[in-house]
Amino acid sequence: MENLIRTIITGTGSYIPDNIVTNEDFLNNRFLQKNGEPFDKSNREIIEKFQQITGIRERRYADDDMMASDMGTIAAERALESSGLDPEELNYIIVAHNFGDILHNNRRSDMVPALASRVKNSLGIRNSKCVVYDLPFGCPGWLQGIIQANYYIRSGDASSALVIGTETLSRVCDPHDRDSMIYADGAGATVLEVSEPGSSNGILAHASRSDTMTQAYFLEMEQSYKEDYGDTLFMKMNGRKLYQYAITHVPGLVKESIDDAGLELGDIGKVLIHQANEKLDESILERLFKLYDVNEIPGDIMPMTINKLGNSSVATVPTLLDLVLREKMNGQTLNLGDHIVLASVGAGMNINSVVYRV
């Protein structure tokens, strides 16, 4: 007999830092190639090409005294407030991140205690049955946390969970690497609860995959492109290979989740996808539609925040979801009964996709 208990989203929240960093702010950077040699183009030419490809015009950086766990706590407070759930009733807190807490002047990862423990402490939750842990899974970490929470709730082990994605990517990027212009800071949080028996709303299906044979090191930590910059490790990306991996595998995985939900592409009202590169996301969407032999793509199906918020890793999709649900994006709304896809791809390499009925 089918289990009619579903997992529903009852609250969302996000924290978007106030500090706006525009592309113009990178004009005085000394960008270097991987071999340490300067480019034969001016910074203005590099930046204009960057904006043309990624769509990013500006991004947000956290205040110097703000860390990932701080932003995650604020997003969590907002999600809990919108849900109306007593924090003491939470069964799980899952915090997705990749670098822990990093001080602005000491760029070393701090993961002890776990960020989830720090958030629970900051929220003042006393309930020892509220189990907390961190989830490093690349950019798809928050969505993988949603998938795990769904398993807990569907199994009857839990009735509620708080899933947070928080990151300060600005503190792990090499200022001499032009890819540093992609990265941003922020946090997003979501409260999940068990639905009423027989409810047709909630998580309908999901799909995930991990590829590591040749793909594990498309993103990795390396020293600065500036030879004498010190021994600090920064995040480095093989953009060309990552782009090809994403357009090759993400569309099929998204289709798998839609098919598993028993839906057609025409049933999907919104595709909320990880925001790392505007042209990449457009290519993924086009390939998804081609898998269904559909040529016409609705203009409002894929809300985009990357032009103003950049890539905040695990925070991008939950922040996007929060903005849409709170109707803070022009022309973007969700109504009861709408079907949406949440999807992400990132370091690992990992991909996931969730189909949800609002």
Side-chain angles (χ1 to χ4, degrees):
M1 181 177 178
E2 183 184 0
N3 181 1
L4 296 180
I5 298 297
R6 296 192 190 279
T7 302
I8 58 172
I9 294 171
T10 60
T12 61
S14 59
Y15 177 80
I16 299 172
D18 293 328
N19 296 325
I20 299 173
V21 179
T22 69
N23 288 349
E24 295 287 315
D25 292 322
F26 291 90
L27 282 173
N28 294 325
N29 281 42
R30 186 188 176 200
F31 291 128
L32 301 173
Q33 301 178 69
K34 190 171 184 177
N35 61 8
E37 294 296 317
F39 288 94
D40 58 3
K41 296 179 180 179
S42 69
N43 270 17
R44 186 165 294 278
E45 290 176 291
I46 292 173
I47 291 169
E48 287 176 355
K49 184 67 173 178
F50 165 84
Q51 182 172 322
Q52 178 186 345
I53 293 173
T54 66
I56 299 173
R57 298 195 303 269
E58 58 189 46
R59 73 287 294 147
R60 301 297 182 97
Y61 285 0
D63 289 342
D64 287 349
D65 62 350
M66 183 76 69
M67 293 189 291
S69 61
D70 301 319
M71 297 191 298
T73 298
I74 296 171
E77 290 172 337
R78 292 171 178 172
L80 286 163
E81 181 181 4
S82 71
S83 74
L85 180 71
D86 181 350
E88 293 293 339
E89 295 180 10
L90 282 169
N91 299 121
Y92 285 92
I93 298 176
I94 304 170
V95 178
H97 65 88
N98 296 290
F99 299 100
D101 275 348
I102 303 175
L103 295 171
H104 81 281
N105 58 355
N106 182 9
R107 304 198 172 189
R108 299 180 186 276
S109 295
D110 177 4
M111 299 189 189
V112 179
L115 265 60
S117 295
R118 301 179 195 201
V119 169
K120 182 180 177 182
N121 175 270
S122 296
L123 293 174
I125 297 173
R126 296 179 178 275
N127 178 14
S128 61
K129 293 296 185 180
C130 174
V131 177
V132 303
Y133 64 91
D134 290 2
L135 178 58
F137 193 73
C139 292
W142 170 82
L143 195 51
Q144 198 65 23
I146 294 291
I147 291 169
Q148 291 185 2
N150 180 46
Y151 274 118
Y152 292 137
I153 292 172
R154 289 290 299 274
S155 72
D157 178 66
S159 62
S160 64
L162 171 63
V163 184
I164 302 167
T166 184
E167 198 72 87
T168 51
L169 288 185
S170 66
R171 297 173 187 174
V172 295
C173 58
D174 178 6
H176 299 287
D177 183 352
R178 58 185 175 179
D179 285 342
S180 64
M181 292 187 287
I182 294 173
Y183 306 122
D185 306 335
T190 307
V191 176
L192 303 171
E193 295 186 62
V194 63
S195 71
E196 294 294 329
S199 171
S200 61
N201 298 343
I203 294 176
L204 304 183
H206 77 268
S208 301
R209 66 180 287 165
S210 296
D211 296 284
T212 60
M213 292 304 294
T214 60
Q215 306 91 341
Y217 296 96
F218 287 175
L219 286 106
E220 59 182 323
M221 303 301 288
E222 295 179 351
Q223 289 186 328
S224 171
Y225 288 164
K226 189 173 185 298
E227 187 176 355
D228 58 351
Y229 200 68
D231 60 358
T232 300
L233 297 180
F234 298 99
M235 185 167 62
K236 298 294 181 178
M237 174 178 65
N238 188 323
R240 188 178 300 275
K241 289 185 177 180
L242 193 154
Y243 190 102
Q244 190 61 44
Y245 172 83
I247 62 172
T248 300
H249 298 294
V250 174
L253 190 88
V254 172
K255 184 178 187 299
E256 179 185 332
S257 67
I258 295 173
D259 292 347
D260 286 351
L263 301 176
E264 300 293 336
L265 181 61
D267 297 320
I268 305 300
K270 301 290 179 189
V271 176
L272 277 57
I273 193 168
H274 175 58
Q275 313 274 300
N277 181 312
E278 189 173 69
K279 288 193 179 298
L280 171 60
D281 287 349
E282 290 171 352
S283 295
I284 289 172
L285 192 66
E286 289 172 4
R287 292 190 176 214
L288 172 63
F289 272 67
K290 284 182 180 179
L291 290 176
Y292 287 92
D293 295 320
V294 177
N295 295 319
E296 189 171 342
I297 302 176
D300 63 347
I301 195 171
M302 188 172 67
M304 299 295 291
T305 57
I306 190 170
N307 58 344
K308 290 189 174 182
L309 299 185
N311 173 8
S312 56
S313 185
V314 292
T316 57
V317 180
T319 297
L320 177 60
L321 176 63
D322 182 53
L323 292 174
V324 173
L325 286 174
R326 293 176 184 265
E327 299 186 357
K328 291 186 176 181
M329 295 185 68
N330 289 336
Q332 295 291 345
T333 58
L334 286 172
N335 300 307
L336 192 66
D338 286 351
H339 295 100
I340 65 173
V341 168
L342 308 167
S344 189
V345 57
M349 293 292 293
N350 301 310
I351 311 173
N352 47 27
S353 177
V354 167
V355 180
Y356 185 84
R357 181 183 289 127
V358 178

